[in-house]
Amino acid sequence: MRFHRLTAVLLAGLLFTCPVAPVHAQTDTDPGAPAASSSAGNAEQGQPPEQAPADEAATEGESSTPAVSPAIVLAEQNLAAAEADMTRLRERVEENSENDAELVDLKLESEALARSMLEIGVSLRPRLTEIKARSEQLGPPPGEGEPAEPEALAAERARLAEERAAINALTGRAETVSVRASETGDEISALRRDLFARTLFKRTEIGPGLMSEAMLALEEEVSQAQRTFGSWLRFIWSFKWQALMAWIFLSLLAALILIPGAYRLFGGLINRNPYDEDPPYTSRLSVAFWSTVIPSVAMAALAFIVYMLLDSLSLLRRDVAPVISAVLAALAGVYFVNKLARAILAPKMPAWRLVNLSNAGARLLFPLVVALVVVNALDFVLSSVSQTLNSPVVLTVAKGFVSVMIMALILIGMAAGKPMLAASGDPADSGQRWPRLISATLVIAGIGLIVTALFGYIGLSRFVATQIVVTGAILTTMYIGYISGKAISAPEAFAHTAVGRWLETRYGLGAVSLDQAGLAAGLLINLLVLMLGLPLILLQWGFQIQDIELWFYRLVTDIRIGGITISLVGIMVGVLLFMVGLVVTRWFQQWLDGSVMSRGRLDTGVRNSIKTGIGYLGVAIAGLIGVMAAGIDLSSLALVAGALSLGIGFGLQNIVSNFVSGLILLVERPFKVGDWVSTSTTEGFVKRISVRATEIETFTRQSIIVPNSELINSPVGNWTHRNKLGRVDVPIGVSYDTDPRRLVDLLTEIARGHELVLRNPEPVVHFSGFGESSLDFVLKCHVADVLDGITVRTELSIRVLERLREENIEIPFPQRDLNIKIGENGEALGVIAEKVAGAPAGPPKTARSKPAAGRQAGAGEPSKPARRSRRTKQKADSIEPDTGEGDR
C-alpha cells in the first residue's frame, strides 16, 4: 500500500512464479479386489443350450469388472478432503478478515480448490464412458411380456446403474464445492477492498497532544531498538562471527560481480561519451533507459543475495528480518530513482540531457528528486521498525505526518525554481520558470498533501506521496522505454546505434536485415517495459504478488470469450510445435535430397516433386499437431468445414481446380523443373511447380505465373520431356545455276564439321522446292541438347554463308520488272512499286509486272542491289508513250 509494496519485487529480483499446486495430492490406493460371482455358473447350467454362450459372456464380463471402480473411490476420498478444506477455509477467512496478506493466501487456496474440483470431474470421465459403453453392449432391459434376462446380466445392469448414479452424485458434490470456493474468493476480494479503503481513509486528530505522545513513544522506541538490535549484534559477534565474516566476504564478492560486471558487460549501452557534443536522440534515449534499468536490476539482485545469505547463514532473527529487508529495499529504491534522475537530467553532461533544462536547473532538480525519495524511504524503514517493535500507533502517525510535510515542501520548492532552458537555447544561461501547467501541478500536489495531513488523513497522504515518488519514477522509466523502443524501431534508426553497428560489423548484415532487427528490438523493449513496469505499479497500488501471479496464471491458461476458453500457454505450445515441425520438415527435405536422392542419381524433376510433396505433407502434419496442442477441438470445426464446402462450390472452385491440377502435375510429371515448355500463351523454362500455379521463366527473364488448370486442360509442348535431343533446321536458297548435288555435299560437310552436331542421326539436306528466285534447300541436323539449337543454327548459317562465298555460289534475291504507263498529256497514270515481296502499291494496276527468273542471269552477272537499280533505270528509260491501243 505504501513504499513497502516495492520490497517484495526488488528482493525477488523482479521475478514471479505461478503456484500451480493442487490442494491434495492423489494417492495410489487400491480400493479392493474384484468380486467374483458364483451365481453365474448356476445360471449358465439352468439355461437352454442356445443361451449358454451369452450367459458365459455375461459371467466373464462381470468377473473382469471390479465391484467398485478405483477412480470412484479415489474421487470420493479427494472430495471428502476438499469439503473439509472448504470448511476450514471459511473459518480462516472469518479469523483473518483484517489481515490483507493472509487474505491473499486464502484467495489463492480458494482458486486452487476450485480447480481441483475440475480435476475430479476429469478423473471420473473415463469410467463414465466405460459404463455407457458396457450398457450399450447389454442392450435395453426386457420389456413387458418378454422373457426375463439372466440373473448375472440383471445384477451387472444394476451395478452399472449404481456406479453411474454414484458418479453423478460425486460430480454434483464437486460442483457444489467449486461454487462455494468461487464465492469465497469473491468474498475475500470484497474484504480486501474494504480493508484497503478503511486503512486509506482512517482519520486521526492532529494536535499538540498527539505530538507530545509521539515524542514519549519515540524515546521508548529508541531504547527498545537499542536493546533489540544491540543484543542481536552482540550475539552474532560473540557466537557467529565466522558466519558474519563469510557473509561479508560473499556479499562483497557478489557486489564486485554484479555492479562492475553490469558495467563491463553492458558498458556500451549505459556509458555516455563525454566528448560527444551532439549525440543522436535515439542514442540519448537508449542510454537513459539502459543506464537506469541495468544497474537497478543489478542492485536489486545484490540486495536479494545479501538478504538470502543472511538467512541461509542463520544470521537473521524473526524480529530483525523485516527491518533488514526494509533497509535493503529502501536502498534499492533510492538507487533506482537516483539512476533515473541522473539519466534524465544529466546534471554534468548537458549534451545527453533528455529534457530542455538549463544546467543550473538540472543541478537544482537532481538533489531535490533524490531528497524526495530518501524521505519516502526513511519513512518506510522507520514504519517497519515501529511495526517490528510494536510501537504505539501514534508514533507511526507522527512519523508519517512529518515525512508528508517534508515531501510537500520539496514539491513546492521544485515549483518555485527556474529550471527551464533559456530563450537563447544555451544550457549555461539562466533558466526560465516552469510552464504554468507543471508549476500548478507541483503546487497543487504539495498543498494537497499538507491539507490532507492536517485534516488527519495520514494514511491517504502517505499513500499519495508514495505514488508521486515511486509510481512517478516507474511511469517515467516506462515512458522512456516506450519512446526508446519506438525510436529504435524507426526506419534506418537501428543501424546508427552501437548494437546495430556491431551487428553490421560482426555478421555483415545489410540495411534490410538491420531494419528488421531494429523492429524486433523495439518490440522486445516494449514487452520488457510492460513485464517489469505493470507489476511494479500494481504492487504500489495495494495489490500483492500473489494477485499478480493469479492474474498471470488466468491470462495464460483461462481466457473466456463467451463459451470459448482460450489458453495462451496452449496456443504458444501449439505455435512452438508447429515451428518445430516446420524445421524438422525442412531438415528432412534437405537430408533426403542431399543424402539419399542425390546418390540415387534421380532426375531433377523427380527430386523436386518428392521434395514438394514431403514439404506439403510435413506442413499439414505440423499444423494438425499444433492445432491439437493448442487445445482447439477439431470437432467444433464441422460448421466451418460445411461453410467452406459451400464456398468451394461457388467461389473457390477455380482455386480447388488449380490445387488438384497441381497435385496431378506433381504426380504425373508431364513436365518438370528445368524443362523447356511452350503453351498457348508463353514459352520458357519451368522454374517452380506449386499446388496452385507453375512459374515459367521466358527467354527475356520474365517470370510468368500460369495456373495449373490451364496446363492440364490445354496443350503444352515440352521440348525436353523424355530427353534433350533436338533437331536444327537451316533453310538455304541458291541460284538456279547451282549444281544441287554439289550443294548437298557442301552442306553435309559443313554440318558434320560442327562439334555439337550429332553423327547419329546423320545430318541430311532436303531439296524443299523451286522458288520464284532460288532453289530452296533445308539442312537438317540433330544436337544432344535442344537448348543449344539456337547457337548451332547461328553457327551453321554463318559457316554456310562463308562457304558459299568461297565457292562463288549465288544466293539470289526476289526481282520485279517495273512498267509505267504514260497518258496523252505526259502525266503518269499509274505506278507499280518494285518490292522485294512483289506486292503492288498505290492506285489500281495499270501496268504489267513479270518476274525476272534467275535463269535469265548469267553466271558471271552481278547479284548486287546495284544490278536491280540499273535494271529498273533501263526499264524506265524504255517506256513508250501511250498510243491508245492498250498496254504494251
Side-chain angles (χ1 to χ4, degrees), residues 815-820 830-849 868 872:
Q815 300 178 15
R816 294 291 183 266
D817 290 337
L818 177 64
N819 296 321
I820 300 176
V831 177
I832 298 178
E834 179 185 9
K835 293 181 176 293
V836 176
K845 297 179 180 179
T846 58
R848 292 192 186 96
S849 122
R868 180 179 58 187
T872 303

Side-chain angles (χ1 to χ4, degrees), residues 101-154:
E102 187 66 24
L103 287 176
V104 172
D105 295 335
L106 295 177
K107 172 76 173 179
L108 294 176
E109 290 185 16
S110 66
E111 294 285 341
L113 189 59
R115 288 196 299 269
S116 65
M117 296 301 98
L118 297 178
E119 296 174 2
I120 290 178
V122 172
S123 66
L124 293 175
R125 192 175 301 167
R127 180 56 185 164
L128 185 61
T129 304
E130 293 176 2
I131 292 174
K132 290 180 179 180
R134 182 57 180 162
S135 299
E136 292 176 357
Q137 291 178 359
L138 295 178
E144 241 180 89
E146 296 181 359
E149 63 181 354
E151 294 182 3
L153 292 180

Side-chain angles (χ1 to χ4, degrees), residues 333-368:
V334 172
Y335 185 83
F336 165 66
V337 177
N338 174 71
K339 284 294 180 182
L340 177 62
R342 190 176 297 276
I344 297 175
L345 301 177
K348 297 182 179 180
M349 294 184 180
W352 292 89
R353 195 169 297 153
L354 294 181
V355 289
N356 294 326
L357 298 178
S358 63
N359 294 339
R363 287 193 293 266
L364 174 65
L365 286 179
F366 177 73
L368 290 178

Side-chain angles (χ1 to χ4, degrees), residues 615-770:
Y616 287 124
L617 180 62
V619 170
I621 294 175
L624 182 62
I625 293 174
V627 168
M628 296 176 63
I632 300 176
D633 188 6
L634 296 180
S635 62
S636 62
L637 300 178
L639 182 62
V640 178
L644 185 61
S645 302
L646 185 63
I648 290 173
F650 287 98
L652 302 180
Q653 52 183 346
N654 290 334
I655 297 177
V656 175
S657 175
N658 291 326
F659 178 78
V660 176
S661 300
L663 296 179
I664 294 174
L665 292 177
L666 289 173
V667 174
E668 186 178 329
R669 298 178 56 251
F671 52 82
K672 55 187 180 296
V673 173
D675 283 358
W676 175 13
V677 299
S678 59
T679 67
S680 59
T681 57
T682 186
E683 182 177 4
F685 298 100
V686 178
K687 303 300 292 184
R688 187 172 65 91
I689 304 175
S690 63
V691 293
R692 192 200 67 83
T694 297
E695 180 183 348
I696 298 177
E697 185 180 28
T698 64
F699 299 110
T700 57
R701 299 298 181 183
Q702 180 186 21
S703 294
I704 306 295
I705 309 301
V706 182
N708 290 329
S709 58
E710 294 186 9
L711 300 176
I712 290 293
N713 300 324
S714 302
V716 177
N718 191 345
W719 291 90
T720 56
H721 181 46
R722 300 299 180 188
N723 52 59
K724 292 186 177 181
L725 183 67
R727 194 182 76 184
V728 177
D729 295 347
V730 181
I732 304 164
V734 297
S735 68
Y736 275 85
D737 297 334
T738 305
D739 183 2
R741 298 187 183 279
R742 172 61 178 163
L743 182 64
V744 169
D745 294 338
L746 288 176
L747 295 178
T748 304
E749 179 184 350
I750 292 172
R752 290 176 178 174
H754 198 286
E755 60 274 6
L756 295 180
V757 175
L758 296 178
R759 300 296 182 270
N760 187 19
E762 283 281 343
V764 296
V765 179
H766 290 168
F767 185 14
S768 61
F770 298 94

Side-chain angles (χ1 to χ4, degrees), residues 464-475:
V464 173
T466 300
Q467 303 320 311
I468 291 175
V469 176
V470 183
T471 305
I474 296 173
L475 287 176

Side-chain angles (χ1 to χ4, degrees), residues 247-291:
W247 171 75
I248 295 174
F249 173 75
L250 294 176
S251 299
L252 292 176
L253 181 62
L256 290 175
I257 293 175
L258 289 174
I259 304 300
Y263 281 93
R264 185 173 182 83
L265 290 176
F266 306 101
L269 296 176
I270 62 181
N271 289 332
R272 301 173 178 86
N273 184 5
Y275 302 103
D276 194 348
E277 298 181 355
D278 188 18
Y281 189 66
T282 55
S283 299
R284 285 186 284 166
L285 285 174
S286 176
V287 170
F289 179 70
W290 294 116
S291 64

